[in-house]
Amino acid sequence: MSKERARRRAAREAEAAQRRAVRQRQLARQAERRALLRRLTPTVRRGRIGRLPRRTRGERAAIVLSTVAVILMIWTLVDDLALRFGLVALLLLVLPAIVVIALDRRS
């Protein structure tokens, strides 16, 4: 009786080992396919996650160029040095609000 049980248990263990080996081969193939797919698919940046929107290169260039133009106008049109510095500081403080108002995409 015990020899019969031992033989059945050995058969069950061999069957379980065979199933484990098959499953491991399947998992290895899946991992290889995923790795191949990951290598073949181009990586595309999908955009940012968060509250602050990302500006395009043209928008950033327009922001910088218009700011520089306004600063140059301040320096050429205003005579008082203290007033120049005050206006430039005010421009730099208000610039983020102006950019959000002018270039906000949620409208």
Side-chain angles (χ1 to χ4, degrees), residues 56-72:
T56 63
R57 184 176 290 163
E59 288 174 339
R60 285 190 302 243
I63 292 167
V64 170
L65 290 176
S66 62
T67 304
V68 169
V70 171
I71 290 174
L72 285 175

Side-chain angles (χ1 to χ4, degrees), residues 4 7 15 18 21-22 26 40-41 52 71 85 88 91:
E4 180 67 25
R7 192 170 40 81
E15 220 176 286
Q18 185 180 6
V22 168
Q26 287 175 345
L40 292 178
T41 9
L52 297 175
I71 290 174
F85 283 120
V88 169
L91 172 69

Side-chain angles (χ1 to χ4, degrees), residues 11-30:
R12 279 195 314 269
E13 288 174 357
E15 220 176 286
Q18 185 180 6
R19 283 195 303 263
R20 275 194 303 270
V22 168
R23 180 70 180 148
Q24 284 180 346
R25 283 194 301 270
Q26 287 175 345
L27 290 175
R29 279 195 303 259
Q30 284 178 353

